[in-house]
Amino acid sequence: MAAEIVNPRSDSSTDQDGGAEPLDSFDPAFALHRGGKMAVQATVPIRDKDDLSLAYTPGVARVCTAIAEQPELVHDYTWKSSVVAVVTDGTAVLGLGDIGPEASLPVMEGKAILFKQFGGVDAVPIALDCTGVDEIIETVVRLAPSFGGVNLEDISAPRCFEIERRLQERLDIPVFHDDQHGTAIVTLAALRNAARLTGRELGELRAVISGAGAAGVAIAKFLLEAGLGDVAVADRKGIVSRDRDDLTPVKRELAEITNKAGISGSLEAALEGADVFIGVSGGTVPEPAVASMAEGAFVFAMANPNPEVHPDVAHKYAAVVATGRSDFPNQINNVLAFPGIFAGALQVRASRITEGMKIAAAEALAGVVGDDLAADYVIPSPFDERVAQRQPCPQPAAFACDVLKEVLYFLE
């Protein structure tokens, strides 16, 4: 299967019922999406009866029999080792919230074509009409024989944590929740370069994260694993700390490993003197709170479409500013992470994606910037030609070669 960007245009001025003009007659987003953004494409020709007899019966029977006798051959003689399932239940879609499986499909199709474009990896969108943890797990386990990896997408917290953990325990293929780990990898890469630009080490920095959902929790854990000095995480009720009695199990665990400074109270209070702000929650951070941060601070305001701190405000006080938007410099975009991670993992048939692999990916991604490092360039664009042309790498994927090497190292 090949994920292709298709761009059919409606040539009709009326809808099927003969009513008003269709939406795609005046909105280019609808025009691009008509008919979907993907297609299935054969990788072998069917030109005559000889081709048919090889691709289907009777030739296919010999391959099936061989796989039945040696199951590991499925990786060599089917698409399994080159395709990922992009699985969602539609409960936390791109800031739109719980919009259901059908409405999530445009996003899942988009994710699939990003896999293909930036990682050379085929992907299949799978939107599930169930939200129960056990239902989702059992469904994915039963689908797994067809795929080389599972990318969980837009599943709300805290269920996403348990779903990922239990699926990885039951499956022998990588399970990766991109909302958690993809965001964390790219954030660490940008933070490493911001620290290098200003002559500091990660261990010297204190960060404050706004948002204790999937991304916020994963970023906090990952940054600490990578050597960050300290991080405090804020939810709607303030800083996640041990003295709170309203924490979920996930947040209680988070409270045990974060906030060494023992800060309690509001996000604004925690920002006083902080070196880093990371926003993955939405809302607005008051300008005085940003002004109270340490000199030479970093502001990574990643909410879309409205960053928690507008770049115009952030630039008054911060040495480095990043957002989740493509129309500002330093876009922290998951597409820099998940295609390369899966490309490397699939090539070596890894059974899981480890913390070491993710840290190696962040280091490799940060290294793409190289000597071009600047305040408005701490993270590369997915379209950076130097990223796409890194050799000897079979995929046009960000840092896939470096990830592949690290995967091999951790499998030894």
Side-chain angles (χ1 to χ4, degrees), residues 206-270:
R206 178 173 72 85
V208 178
I209 297 176
S210 175
V217 171
I219 291 170
K221 291 181 176 180
F222 192 54
L223 293 183
L224 290 174
E225 181 77 18
L228 187 74
D230 191 15
V231 58
V233 182
D235 62 11
R236 290 183 180 88
K237 297 182 179 179
I239 298 300
V240 174
S241 57
R242 295 181 182 181
D243 59 357
R244 283 178 51 179
D245 59 6
D246 61 345
L247 300 179
T248 64
V250 170
K251 292 179 183 179
R252 281 200 300 271
E253 178 187 352
L254 191 65
E256 292 297 321
I257 62 173
T258 61
N259 195 17
K260 298 175 186 176
I263 299 169
S264 59
S266 67
L267 169 73
E268 289 81 357

Side-chain angles (χ1 to χ4, degrees), residues 86-124:
V86 180
V87 179
T88 190
D89 64 355
T91 55
V93 179
L94 275 183
L96 300 174
D98 186 355
I99 60 175
E102 288 87 355
S104 77
L105 272 175
V107 178
M108 300 310 115
E109 288 183 6
K111 199 77 173 189
I113 64 175
L114 295 179
F115 264 109
K116 188 67 173 180
Q117 178 71 28
F118 296 104
V121 173
D122 288 322
V124 177

Side-chain angles (χ1 to χ4, degrees), residues 22-330:
L23 292 169
D24 56 6
S25 66
F26 56 88
D27 188 326
F30 281 90
L32 181 116
H33 281 78
R34 179 172 286 276
K37 300 191 290 286
M38 298 175 60
V40 174
Q41 178 178 338
T43 61
V44 296
I46 307 292
R47 298 163 298 198
D48 51 38
K49 64 181 182 63
D50 292 333
D51 288 342
L52 182 60
S53 68
L54 288 174
Y56 200 53
T57 186
V60 73
R62 298 199 297 275
V63 180
C64 292
T65 301
I67 294 172
E69 294 173 352
Q70 300 181 62
E72 67 275 10
L73 292 178
V74 69
H75 296 283
D76 297 310
Y77 296 106
T78 73
W79 75 343
K80 183 177 176 74
S81 281
S82 62
V83 67
V84 171
V86 180
V87 179
T88 190
D89 64 355
T91 55
V93 179
L94 275 183
L96 300 174
D98 186 355
I99 60 175
E102 288 87 355
S104 77
L105 272 175
V107 178
M108 300 310 115
E109 288 183 6
K111 199 77 173 189
I113 64 175
L114 295 179
F115 264 109
K116 188 67 173 180
Q117 178 71 28
F118 296 104
V121 173
D122 288 322
V124 177
I126 298 176
L128 302 179
D129 188 17
C130 59
T131 58
V133 170
D134 291 338
E135 289 179 295
I136 292 173
I137 291 169
E138 293 302 324
T139 302
V140 175
V141 166
R142 284 161 173 73
L143 290 169
S146 294
F147 300 98
V150 175
N151 187 89
L152 299 175
E153 190 74 22
D154 293 347
I155 298 174
S156 64
R159 298 173 310 119
C160 58
F161 304 112
E162 182 181 359
I163 290 169
E164 182 189 41
R165 176 182 58 80
R166 288 173 55 186
L167 279 174
Q168 191 61 85
E169 289 172 354
R170 293 185 59 178
L171 299 177
D172 61 355
I173 58 175
V175 179
F176 188 84
H177 185 213
D178 184 52
D179 299 323
Q180 295 182 56
H181 309 302
T183 306
I185 288 167
V186 183
T187 300
L188 175 59
L191 187 57
R192 282 193 181 280
N193 275 339
R196 180 164 69 93
L197 179 69
T198 56
R200 286 178 282 180
E201 300 291 333
L202 286 182
E204 303 172 23
L205 303 176
R206 178 173 72 85
V208 178
I209 297 176
S210 175
V217 171
I219 291 170
K221 291 181 176 180
F222 192 54
L223 293 183
L224 290 174
E225 181 77 18
L228 187 74
D230 191 15
V231 58
V233 182
D235 62 11
R236 290 183 180 88
K237 297 182 179 179
I239 298 300
V240 174
S241 57
R242 295 181 182 181
D243 59 357
R244 283 178 51 179
D245 59 6
D246 61 345
L247 300 179
T248 64
V250 170
K251 292 179 183 179
R252 281 200 300 271
E253 178 187 352
L254 191 65
E256 292 297 321
I257 62 173
T258 61
N259 195 17
K260 298 175 186 176
I263 299 169
S264 59
S266 67
L267 169 73
E268 289 81 357
L271 280 175
E272 186 173 355
D275 302 292
V276 185
F277 168 76
I278 297 171
V280 285
S281 67
T284 302
V285 177
E287 183 172 343
V290 181
S292 75
M293 296 178 68
E295 185 177 354
F298 313 142
V299 172
F300 293 179
M302 299 186 286
N304 273 312
N306 299 311
E308 294 89 347
V309 183
H310 193 279
D312 292 344
V313 174
H315 278 298
K316 294 181 184 179
Y317 312 102
V320 177
V321 177
T323 72
R325 289 175 44 158
S326 60
D327 54 344
F328 292 112
N330 295 327

